[in-house]
Amino acid sequence: MPAFSRLIRFVARDGRSYYGDAILPKGIADISKSTRARVIAGDVFGQHHVTDQVVDIHHLLPPLNPSHVRTVRCLGLNYADHAKEANMPEPKYPILFYKPVTSLSGPSDPIPVPFVAQEGTGLDYECELVIVVGKSCRDVAESEVLDHVLGYSVGNDVSHRDWQLKWGGGQWAHGKGYDGWAPYGPGIVTTAVLEDAARLKIWTKVNGETLQSGSTSDLIFGVKKTVSLLSRGVTLMPGDVIFTGTPAGVGMGRKPPVWLKNGDVVEVGLDQVGTCVNKVEFEKDAARL
């Protein structure tokens, strides 16, 4: 078991970056509201300890150093109500796609929209429970999954529906894998605190308006089943990140559709974990090809 409860990675007021165990203000469960943390010494996936050194947080980084993340797996249509709004059948097995590690960003970083994703329409949001693998496993039984899960974050599976479904020929990763299109955080709450992360409220707000409001109890494939199925014949490694799908209320499912615009502020939140607040920023300079 890790020595920490709420893992964060942050830049302190001294300008140095640290891993830390977030200190929550009294009566607050949102890690993004933390202003101080106890510094963690050692390897968060191996030998480590939480020190007595308390430092002030300047700003939060993505919870894991990019060097610690090997793969970013994502599930599609993992809530029945979202499958219904997408006019697609409820899957019998997880619909799996991958995002590149470069899509990961922090809980307050901007969402950069390159010129290629400014074409057409369909810039969309998806609040998601994020599983972080803590120990390597292969063919793991559901009853043993939590022994291999470090904990949970909340993330936004940013998507461009035209590239995902029309121009990309159904290649979901092509419309979802741009740099910075998987903000997550604000930290990682361990399984010792949240167990299998069932019955947690999850939501999205755009410019302060709630557009998604769901519960992880409605996942088709919950944490234990997801990790067990994804480990069949495949070794999951420490630091692997799994986005588990989104509930109903995405922009694509609304009538008329609601697409994100330049300057929009998107908040995704998960009960007992916290919030990520990211501003949509359209890139102004075209790429040189």
Side-chain angles (χ1 to χ4, degrees):
M1 296 293 293
F4 48 82
S5 296
R6 294 171 176 84
L7 178 68
I8 59 173
R9 195 168 66 92
F10 64 99
V11 174
R13 296 198 180 278
D14 63 8
R16 299 174 60 188
S17 60
Y18 300 90
Y19 273 113
D21 195 0
I23 300 172
L24 295 178
K26 186 176 181 180
I28 300 295
D30 184 347
I31 293 174
S32 72
K33 307 302 182 185
S34 299
T35 60
R36 299 185 303 156
R38 294 182 178 87
V39 172
I40 296 172
D43 179 2
V44 295
F45 291 102
Q47 294 295 322
H48 67 274
H49 67 281
V50 179
T51 71
D52 294 329
Q53 182 185 2
V54 176
V55 295
D56 292 332
I57 299 168
H58 182 261
H59 70 270
L60 294 172
L61 299 169
L64 295 179
N65 188 302
S67 65
H68 279 147
V69 183
R70 292 172 172 84
T71 61
V72 182
R73 293 171 171 83
C74 305
L75 298 190
L77 302 176
N78 199 20
Y79 286 78
D81 57 358
H82 176 51
K84 183 177 180 180
E85 74 174 350
N87 295 313
M88 299 182 74
E90 187 173 322
K92 295 182 179 179
Y93 300 96
I95 296 175
L96 175 65
F97 62 97
Y98 288 76
K99 287 197 174 197
V101 171
T102 52
S103 68
L104 294 175
S105 62
S108 61
D109 292 336
I111 299 170
V113 182
F115 265 76
V116 65
Q118 294 176 32
E119 301 169 0
T121 60
L123 187 61
D124 212 343
Y125 51 85
E126 295 189 11
C127 60
E128 307 205 2
L129 166 71
V130 177
I131 303 168
V132 180
V133 177
K135 296 180 181 179
S136 62
C137 59
R138 184 178 188 270
D139 297 321
V140 64
E142 290 183 32
S143 61
E144 299 175 358
V145 160
L146 296 187
D147 294 333
H148 301 273
V149 172
L150 180 68
Y152 311 99
S153 289
V154 64
N156 186 356
D157 175 18
V158 183
S159 307
H160 189 288
R161 302 304 186 185
D162 277 355
W163 275 113
Q164 176 193 358
L165 300 171
K166 297 179 182 179
W167 305 334
Q171 300 178 62
W172 290 19
H174 192 69
K176 292 171 170 277
Y178 299 109
D179 289 352
W181 277 35
Y184 78 119
I188 300 170
V189 181
T190 65
T191 56
V193 176
L194 292 182
E195 298 184 347
D196 62 352
R199 298 174 295 281
L200 299 179
K201 294 179 181 178
I202 187 168
W203 65 89
T204 298
K205 296 179 181 180
V206 177
N207 301 326
E209 180 183 358
T210 300
L211 298 182
Q212 286 184 283
S213 181
S215 171
T216 58
S217 62
D218 296 326
L219 283 163
I220 296 171
F221 305 103
V223 170
K224 294 179 181 179
K225 189 172 290 293
T226 291
V227 174
S228 180
L229 286 170
L230 295 185
S231 75
R232 289 184 178 178
V234 178
T235 301
L236 304 182
M237 299 295 292
D240 282 354
V241 171
I242 304 169
F243 280 64
T244 61
T246 196
V250 299
M252 177 180 65
R254 294 182 171 272
K255 296 183 175 25
V258 175
W259 305 127
L260 295 175
K261 306 179 299 299
N262 188 33
D264 282 348
V265 176
V266 186
E267 173 190 315
V268 294
L270 180 65
D271 191 28
Q272 303 302 312
V273 174
T275 53
C276 298
V277 180
N278 307 92
K279 185 177 181 180
V280 177
E281 293 187 358
F282 280 34
E283 294 183 354
K284 297 180 180 180
D285 297 323
R288 297 178 179 179
L289 302 177

